[in-house]
Amino acid sequence: MKSYRKELFFHLPTRRGIVNITRQVEAALKESGVKEGLVLVNAMNITASVFINDEESGLHQDFEDWLEKLAPEKPYSRYRHNGYEDNADAHLKRTVMGREVVVAVTEGKLDFGTWEQIFYFEFDGKRDKHALVKIIGE
Amino acid sequence: MKSYRKELFFHLPTRRGIVNITRQVEAALKESGVKEGLVLVNAMNITASVFINDEESGLHQDFEDWLEKLAPEKPYSRYRHNGYEDNADAHLKRTVMGREVVVAVTEGKLDFGTWEQIFYFEFDGKRDKHALVKIIGE
Amino acid sequence: MKSYRKELFFHLPTRRGIVNITRQVEAALKESGVKEGLVLVNAMNITASVFINDEESGLHQDFEDWLEKLAPEKPYSRYRHNGYEDNADAHLKRTVMGREVVVAVTEGKLDFGTWEQIFYFEFDGKRDKHALVKIIGE
């Protein structure tokens, strides 16, 4: 069994934002030499998500608007976690979108449907964050 | 390490619906010959989910009603993704229910609690869709 | 390839509650002898979650309040699943928080960011429940 590990780094200029990381995960897969197996991609911070959906800017805005309704950022005082911090909403939003994805590797490629793309979703940006790519297989 | 891949196909007559795929995943596991490992089951379309819960029709109706409150289908104009498409709500509903499940394989069987069953949840039906079963182990 | 399986047992005195299981998963990992691979941790009951987030009591109370807004426990009659049972809300809350986590194993340790901790979230307690730890790798 082979295994391969790579970290991806982020520092977004805004509190929230979506970054397509499909190419970076594909590059890690190529470096790993794994032909059949599984790829795990997870946020290493608890105020960010990794998720799979469509590369379409209208949809990304819909996600932003929808999450803001489900778990509003403000007023900060609505959450007990806030005080020293102001990011309770980020923990909740990341929960809706998910921490991680697991993707099949078949014949050396991400085994994806036509429109599947992997994204990093930042909910508490303007600081250094990272995600993990772990690949196992052979 | 062994690996095995199988696609499951769907074409629901309705926009939304739930299909129990436990038997199909068990069949794939048997075909794989894997005795110890992991099974990944994921929707290959971004408007559908694979999830694990109970086979109980009242609960399935509760899921339908609840998701329709969290991310209403209509009016279509409430979402920026809609225009050529009308399925923005399907992307959001699938996010709540999840893209994938990972299940342990122990002694050649899905290592499940008493009530765990695997379901495909369609949110934008009346067309050809597919899901992936990927099994690794030995 | 090595594989290792362990069940964790719970019996909470309350309907809902959060239990930090990071140390128990680390213990299972040590017992497994796996140095590189993946750990799956999943609830085996369909009214409980396993999730990764922060060990902070204010945030845990925020999760409780937020889930109760998204999927209220009462009135029980609002859900079709209820009748013999009263736990439909538990099925929905567990869906938001997720059934499972998959964690990378690197150099014999859970490959975690600084604040990542694994929790069991009970939504229908006062009875025997269990979760599964399955580890594969080498």
Side-chain angles (χ1 to χ4, degrees):
Chain A
M1 201 198 79
K2 283 181 184 174
S3 71
Y4 186 76
R5 177 194 197 276
K6 189 173 188 176
E7 281 187 44
L8 308 180
F9 297 95
F10 305 91
H11 191 121
L12 270 70
T14 51
R15 184 174 173 106
R16 287 192 288 278
I18 294 177
V19 181
N20 190 327
I21 58 172
T22 313
R23 295 297 91 74
Q24 293 178 71
V25 177
E26 287 173 343
L29 177 54
K30 195 169 180 185
E31 290 155 22
S32 76
V34 169
K35 300 299 181 193
E36 298 291 328
L38 295 176
V39 180
L40 167 70
V41 189
N42 67 266
M44 300 188 80
N45 300 88
I46 52 193
T47 51
S49 288
V50 172
F51 73 103
I52 288 174
N53 216 299
D54 199 358
E55 175 60 284
E56 201 280 298
S57 61
L59 180 65
H60 292 189
Q61 188 61 49
D62 289 333
F63 274 123
E64 161 66 22
D65 296 346
W66 178 64
L67 291 168
E68 187 58 20
K69 265 182 218 140
L70 292 181
E73 179 185 336
K74 299 174 183 172
Y76 294 128
S77 60
R78 69 185 279 148
Y79 301 111
R80 299 187 194 211
H81 179 60
N82 290 338
Y84 282 111
E85 305 215 61
D86 67 0
N87 64 3
D89 72 298
H91 290 271
L92 305 184
K93 284 170 173 136
R94 106 76 170 247
T95 299
V96 175
M97 297 304 297
R99 167 189 179 258
E100 78 219 10
V101 297
V102 178
V103 180
V105 178
T106 302
E107 297 179 1
K109 298 196 170 161
L110 299 177
D111 197 335
F112 266 164
T114 309
W115 302 103
E116 289 188 287
Q117 297 276 310
I118 311 176
F119 298 94
Y120 173 83
F121 205 150
E122 177 63 78
F123 297 111
D124 187 28
K126 304 182 194 175
R127 65 193 72 191
D128 293 333
K129 308 289 276 276
H130 53 153
L132 179 65
V133 181
K134 183 85 182 191
I135 304 168
I136 69 164
E138 61 180 20
Chain B
M1 201 198 77
K2 282 181 184 173
S3 71
Y4 187 76
R5 176 193 197 276
K6 189 172 189 177
E7 280 187 44
L8 308 180
F9 298 94
F10 306 90
H11 190 121
L12 271 70
T14 50
R15 184 175 172 106
R16 288 193 287 278
I18 294 177
V19 182
N20 190 328
I21 58 172
T22 313
R23 295 298 92 73
Q24 293 178 72
V25 176
E26 287 173 342
L29 177 54
K30 196 169 179 186
E31 290 155 22
S32 76
V34 169
K35 299 298 181 194
E36 298 290 328
L38 296 175
V39 180
L40 167 70
V41 190
N42 67 267
M44 301 187 79
N45 299 89
I46 52 193
T47 51
S49 287
V50 172
F51 73 103
I52 287 174
N53 217 299
D54 198 359
E55 176 60 283
E56 200 280 298
S57 61
L59 180 66
H60 292 189
Q61 188 61 49
D62 290 332
F63 274 123
E64 161 65 23
D65 296 346
W66 178 65
L67 291 168
E68 187 57 19
K69 265 182 219 140
L70 292 181
E73 178 185 336
K74 300 173 184 175
Y76 294 129
S77 61
R78 69 185 280 150
Y79 301 111
R80 301 189 193 208
H81 179 61
N82 291 337
Y84 282 110
E85 305 215 61
D86 67 1
N87 65 3
D89 72 298
H91 291 272
L92 303 184
K93 285 169 173 137
R94 108 75 170 248
T95 299
V96 176
M97 297 304 297
R99 168 190 178 259
E100 80 218 9
V101 298
V102 178
V103 180
V105 178
T106 302
E107 297 180 1
K109 297 197 170 161
L110 299 177
D111 197 336
F112 266 163
T114 309
W115 302 104
E116 288 188 288
Q117 297 277 310
I118 310 176
F119 298 94
Y120 172 82
F121 205 150
E122 177 63 77
F123 298 111
D124 187 28
K126 305 181 193 175
R127 64 192 74 191
D128 293 332
K129 308 289 275 276
H130 52 155
L132 179 64
V133 182
K134 183 84 182 191
I135 304 168
I136 69 165
E138 62 179 19
Chain C
M1 201 198 79
K2 283 181 183 172
S3 72
Y4 186 76
R5 178 193 195 277
K6 189 173 189 177
E7 280 187 43
L8 309 180
F9 297 95
F10 306 90
H11 190 120
L12 270 71
T14 50
R15 184 175 172 106
R16 287 191 288 278
I18 294 178
V19 182
N20 190 328
I21 59 172
T22 313
R23 296 296 91 75
Q24 293 178 73
V25 177
E26 287 173 342
L29 178 55
K30 195 169 180 186
E31 289 154 23
S32 76
V34 169
K35 300 299 181 193
E36 298 291 327
L38 296 176
V39 180
L40 168 70
V41 190
N42 66 267
M44 300 187 80
N45 299 89
I46 52 192
T47 51
S49 288
V50 172
F51 73 102
I52 288 173
N53 216 298
D54 198 359
E55 176 61 283
E56 200 280 298
S57 62
L59 180 66
H60 292 189
Q61 188 62 48
D62 289 331
F63 273 123
E64 161 66 23
D65 296 346
W66 178 65
L67 292 168
E68 187 57 19
K69 265 182 219 140
L70 292 181
E73 178 185 336
K74 298 175 184 174
Y76 295 129
S77 61
R78 68 185 283 149
Y79 301 111
R80 301 189 192 209
H81 179 61
N82 291 337
Y84 283 110
E85 306 215 60
D86 66 2
N87 64 4
D89 71 298
H91 291 271
L92 304 184
K93 284 168 173 137
R94 106 76 169 249
T95 299
V96 176
M97 297 305 296
R99 167 188 178 260
E100 79 218 11
V101 297
V102 178
V103 180
V105 178
T106 302
E107 297 179 1
K109 298 197 170 163
L110 299 177
D111 197 334
F112 266 164
T114 309
W115 302 104
E116 288 189 288
Q117 298 277 309
I118 310 177
F119 298 93
Y120 173 81
F121 205 150
E122 177 63 78
F123 298 112
D124 187 28
K126 305 181 194 175
R127 65 193 73 192
D128 293 333
K129 307 290 276 275
H130 53 154
L132 179 64
V133 182
K134 183 84 182 189
I135 304 168
I136 69 164
E138 62 179 19

